[in-house]
Amino acid sequence: MKIIILSFLIFLSQLETIKQLKKSTLLNSIIDKLNYEDSKYYILVSILTLSSILIFIRFWSKIRLLFLIFSLIIFGFFYSYYPNFLDTYQDLSLFALTNKLPELKILIVFLIPIAFSLLFGRVFCGSACPLGAIQEIIGKIGHAAYLKNLKYPIQIKYLKYLNIILFAGITYVIGNKWFIKFDPFLTLFNFDGTKLSIFILGLILSLSFAFSRPFCKYLCPYGAFLGLIAKISFFKPKLAKSCKNCGICTDVCPMNCVEMGKINHIECIRCGKCKSACPVGRKVKPKDIERSFKTNNYNSRLDINYSKNKKRNGQNNNTFFSTKKH
């Protein structure tokens, strides 16, 4: 993990070099041969397809960071913040005024994560979104610096659902794509922006050191929309009947969407941390015990709750995690 974080910091130090590399004639000629425009769709679909398969594997949470770094580099810095779903969302909001839909290719890209959310839940948010990637990587750096992962009051998460209406409503009333002047991520990935967008970017990235994915959890309208779709997704992770209600999954969940064995699929980004941390069906390793003292001392709750449930329900060692069709 430290090696990955160090590699990311080195990458950030070379952003200006990457910016110049993008302008090189040689690189552009190579991209032209690879069909630059279509390659975006192939890469996006490939990442979502592969991650949708791997979410059912226990070690998914260990390798997901590699997907995030790849998405950050490719969709964030190389393609200069593509796809920009917030921009497309504004185009759709203006449809009633302009009677003009976004370009077909842009619309297809907008719909691809929705299709995957309908099947597997918010895999785009958890493994392919460059906005979530930069926040989560910074959060890991904060965690490596022993900063505690703080949590907002749970009611604040409903702000992003209100943003679905507000974002579209403001765009419709103003009659133009107003958010482009304030978009902090457009500023980050294009190395340019207004003073206000730079301030917002700094605020979000600073909060990301102590709060897990603050923009994703509380403000992103596209993520909120994908969450509503994920509510009726075809494949859903479910904690099995052998759950001991120890609370470990609740403590490790970065989106605060697991509560004593019950998963809120609207908020879940399929990161797999609950699955990886769950002690049911495997021996608890020393590192799990050490982590328990860093995360609300949940190991003691494991012992207490397990004893109560063992007396009440008997011991059951069935698979702790199952995926069923709904």
Side-chain angles (χ1 to χ4, degrees):
M1 180 64 68
K2 292 183 179 180
I3 295 176
I4 293 176
I5 292 174
L6 180 60
S7 300
F8 175 71
L9 292 175
I10 295 174
F11 163 74
L12 288 180
S13 67
Q14 301 298 320
L15 286 181
E16 189 62 31
T17 304
I18 294 174
K19 185 179 179 181
Q20 296 298 325
L21 183 63
K22 289 169 59 178
K23 297 179 179 179
S24 68
T25 305
L26 176 61
L27 184 61
N28 286 332
S29 63
I30 295 174
I31 292 173
D32 289 339
K33 292 180 180 180
L34 294 176
N35 198 341
Y36 180 85
E37 288 298 326
D38 291 343
S39 65
K40 300 175 183 179
Y41 315 120
Y42 301 147
I43 294 173
L44 178 60
V45 173
S46 299
I47 290 177
L48 291 177
T49 300
L50 185 57
S51 58
S52 297
I53 296 172
L54 293 177
I55 59 175
F56 303 117
I57 301 174
R58 187 155 199 157
F59 64 80
W60 164 239
S61 65
K62 307 297 183 183
I63 63 175
R64 188 177 62 90
L65 181 61
L66 299 177
F67 281 74
L68 290 174
I69 293 176
F70 178 82
S71 299
L72 177 63
I73 295 173
I74 299 300
F75 295 128
F77 294 106
F78 189 80
Y79 285 133
S80 299
Y81 188 17
Y82 180 91
N84 187 342
F85 292 109
L86 298 181
D87 186 68
T88 307
Y89 186 62
Q90 287 187 105
D91 284 330
L92 293 173
S93 303
L94 290 171
F95 174 68
L97 291 176
T98 62
N99 201 29
K100 181 181 178 182
L101 286 171
E103 294 181 17
L104 181 60
K105 288 185 176 181
I106 295 177
L107 191 59
I108 290 174
V109 172
F110 185 82
L111 295 174
I112 287 174
I114 294 176
F116 274 87
S117 293
L118 185 61
L119 291 173
F120 302 102
R122 294 173 60 184
V123 288
F124 172 77
C125 298
S127 59
C129 179
L131 313 188
I134 187 67
Q135 295 173 82
E136 186 163 333
I137 292 171
I138 289 177
K140 289 184 179 296
I141 295 174
H143 181 71
Y146 301 100
L147 293 177
K148 186 178 181 181
N149 183 15
L150 304 176
K151 297 182 180 181
Y152 285 108
I154 195 169
Q155 294 80 5
I156 300 181
K157 70 180 182 181
Y158 296 110
L159 281 176
K160 63 178 177 288
Y161 302 106
L162 180 62
N163 268 353
I164 296 178
I165 301 174
L166 287 178
F167 205 81
I170 295 174
T171 302
Y172 178 81
V173 171
I174 295 178
N176 59 59
K177 295 193 286 186
W178 58 276
F179 189 67
I180 194 172
K181 299 178 182 179
F182 311 102
D183 192 338
F185 299 104
L186 194 63
T187 297
L188 172 65
F189 297 130
N190 286 278
F191 308 97
D192 188 24
T194 64
K195 291 182 179 180
L196 182 57
S197 66
I198 294 174
F199 171 77
I200 296 174
L201 173 64
L203 180 61
I204 291 175
L205 297 186
S206 298
L207 288 173
S208 297
F209 279 102
F211 296 93
S212 176
R213 289 181 171 235
F215 182 80
C216 301
K217 274 202 283 192
Y218 308 114
L219 294 174
C220 182
Y222 187 67
F225 183 72
L226 293 181
L228 296 176
I229 298 296
K231 178 68 174 178
I232 57 173
S233 60
F234 191 64
F235 294 98
K236 293 179 180 178
K238 291 189 66 177
L239 296 175
K241 295 180 181 179
S242 55
C243 174
K244 303 183 179 76
N245 293 326
C246 64
I248 293 178
C249 53
T250 302
D251 290 326
V252 301
C253 178
M255 299 301 287
N256 312 133
C257 65
V258 184
E259 186 63 36
M260 300 304 288
K262 295 182 179 179
I263 302 174
N264 182 348
H265 296 289
I266 297 179
E267 300 293 327
C268 178
I269 60 172
R270 306 300 191 254
C271 69
K273 287 189 176 181
C274 58
K275 181 177 182 178
S276 178
C278 182
V280 179
R282 67 179 176 88
K283 295 181 179 180
V284 179
K285 299 178 182 180
K287 65 178 182 180
D288 297 317
I289 298 175
E290 179 182 356
R291 181 176 55 192
S292 69
F293 290 99
K294 295 180 181 180
T295 315
N296 297 333
N297 198 19
Y298 59 56
N299 195 58
S300 60
R301 294 213 311 274
L302 170 61
D303 295 335
I304 296 172
N305 288 322
Y306 175 68
S307 299
K308 290 181 179 179
N309 283 301
K310 186 175 181 180
K311 292 180 181 178
R312 184 169 63 249
N313 301 324
Q315 187 172 2
N316 187 352
N317 288 324
N318 293 334
T319 305
F320 73 99
F321 191 96
S322 63
T323 305
K324 299 181 179 180
K325 298 180 180 179
H326 290 267

